């Protein structure tokens, strides 16, 4: 047990050190992107958009941008980390070591989650300059961000295991995460959509996450278009399912053994 903990800490520390070692690639680009969203949408476009909740459009935008930053950065870290280890075949060293699959999985995921949390914090700090300073339910916000970063890091882990090329790694964020994020109520209230589009939006998992964060940050009854507890339960369930699937793959050596 002690050995597994040391291995876990070593892997997690390596991933975290990597984030700060190449901070110009891992931290600066997301910060610039989020800042541009606030300037263009929150400042320029948002000045002409009326939100009837007693808040500015930039404040309305903030929870969605926080979620989008966590999702994209927790997931995309796989490209340069786990897939890079596969490409160099260095990850095969774990097969001849006493590393348990759960240790390998959690060590990488925790390191990737750190990047998501850092981007979330930076996004929130940037929002201070545009009026997005609300954090009404910090417990809900922290739990949601933790589960969000964990789930998408685990999802990226699975993608990286089976990806054969860098193009295959980018399929999920390009064709699934990005469209679902833009259609997940980040930039607009659901009430602005036609009725049929509102119904379809309820099947968008990203929208459930945005509901949780918007509730945690703003705590306005009309910002919660879905059941808060149902959304939280969904996030817990998919995180557990993803963990079970990943550990099953790792125990069989799928995606690692050639």
């Amino acid at each position: 047990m002690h050995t597994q903990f040391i291995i876990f800490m070593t892997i997690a520390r390596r991933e975290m050190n990597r984030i700060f070692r190449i901070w110009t690639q891992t931290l600066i680009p997301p910060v610039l992107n989020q800042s541009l969203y606030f300037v263009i949408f929150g400042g320029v476009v948002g000045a002409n958009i009326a939100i009837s909740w007693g808040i500015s459009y930039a404040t309305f935008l903030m929870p969605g941008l926080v979620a989008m930053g966590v999702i994209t950065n927790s997931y995309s870290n796989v490209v340069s980390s786990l897939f890079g280890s596969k490409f160099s075949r260095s990850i095969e060293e774990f097969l001849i070591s006493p590393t348990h699959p759960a240790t390998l999985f959690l060590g990488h995921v925790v390191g990737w989650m750190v990047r998501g949390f850092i981007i979330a914090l930076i996004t929130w700090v940037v929002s201070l300059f545009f009026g997005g300073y609300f954090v009404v339910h910090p417990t809900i916000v922290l739990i949601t961000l933790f589960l969000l970063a964990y789930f998408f890091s685990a999802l990226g882990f699975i993608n990286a295991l089976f990806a054969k090329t860098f193009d295959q790694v980018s399929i999920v964020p390009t064709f699934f995460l990005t469209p679902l994020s833009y259609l997940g109520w980040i930039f607009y209230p659901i009430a602005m959509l036609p009725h049929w589009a509102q119904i379809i939006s309820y099947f968008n998992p990203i929208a459930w996450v945005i509901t949780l964060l918007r509730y945690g940050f703003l705590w306005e009854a009309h910002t919660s278009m879905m059941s808060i507890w149902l959304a939280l339960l969904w996030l817990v369930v998919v995180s557990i399912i993803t963990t079970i699937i990943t550990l099953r793959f790792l125990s069989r050596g799928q995606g690692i053994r050639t």
Side-chain angles (χ1 to χ4, degrees):
M1 190 68 173
H2 180 66
T3 302
Q4 295 301 316
F5 178 75
I6 294 177
I7 297 174
F8 163 77
M9 291 300 297
T10 301
I11 296 174
R13 190 182 302 114
R14 183 194 66 182
E15 296 301 319
M16 287 185 280
N17 288 340
R18 179 178 170 279
I19 293 173
F20 295 104
R21 187 175 64 253
I22 54 174
W23 59 274
T24 55
Q25 301 176 38
T26 58
L27 298 180
I28 298 300
V31 171
L32 291 177
N33 287 337
Q34 302 299 70
S35 299
L36 287 174
Y37 277 123
F38 277 113
V39 171
I40 297 174
F41 289 98
V44 180
V45 179
N48 300 312
I49 297 179
I51 301 294
S52 60
W53 297 347
I55 57 176
S56 67
Y57 181 71
T59 300
F60 169 84
L61 197 62
M62 180 263 295
L65 292 183
V66 169
M68 190 165 65
V70 173
I71 291 171
T72 56
N73 288 281
S74 296
Y75 187 95
S76 63
N77 220 31
V78 176
V79 176
S80 53
S81 182
L82 180 61
F83 188 79
S85 298
K86 283 184 55 181
F87 188 78
S88 64
R89 305 180 71 92
S90 61
I91 197 171
E92 295 180 1
E93 297 174 1
F94 289 105
L95 296 176
I96 58 174
S97 70
T99 305
H100 191 276
T103 305
L104 176 64
F105 170 68
L106 292 176
H108 281 89
V109 166
V110 168
W112 299 333
M113 288 173 63
V114 169
R115 181 181 175 185
F117 277 118
I118 293 175
I119 298 303
L121 177 61
I122 293 175
T123 301
W124 181 78
V125 171
V126 171
S127 74
L128 298 179
F129 298 95
F130 297 89
Y133 51 86
F134 300 95
V135 186
V136 179
H137 279 302
T139 303
I140 293 292
V141 171
L142 290 175
I143 292 175
T144 302
L145 289 179
F146 176 84
L147 291 173
L148 189 63
Y150 178 88
F151 171 63
F152 281 97
S153 293
L155 195 63
F157 196 105
I158 295 176
N159 187 196
L161 281 179
F162 291 94
K164 302 299 183 184
T165 65
F166 281 100
D167 290 335
Q168 293 179 0
V169 172
S170 63
I171 289 177
V172 174
T174 301
F175 295 101
F176 294 97
L177 295 186
T178 300
L180 289 177
S181 296
Y182 280 99
L183 297 174
W185 313 343
I186 293 177
F187 300 99
Y188 54 86
I190 186 176
M192 296 179 64
L193 297 175
H195 181 68
W196 62 267
Q198 293 184 28
I199 296 176
I200 294 176
S201 295
Y202 278 99
F203 294 95
N204 183 351
I206 303 297
W208 291 63
V209 175
I210 302 301
T211 294
L212 277 171
L213 284 179
R214 193 156 281 144
Y215 175 82
F217 278 112
L218 306 179
W219 196 35
E220 294 286 344
H222 34 269
T223 68
S224 305
M225 299 301 180
M226 297 177 176
S227 168
I228 297 302
W229 300 114
L230 187 59
L232 189 59
L233 176 62
W234 172 86
L235 201 51
V236 171
V237 170
V238 294
S239 296
I240 294 174
I241 292 175
T242 307
T243 301
I244 294 174
I245 293 174
T246 307
L247 293 180
R248 189 174 182 84
F249 287 153
L250 284 176
S251 63
R252 295 178 177 180
Q254 290 181 262
I256 298 179
R257 292 191 178 98
T258 57

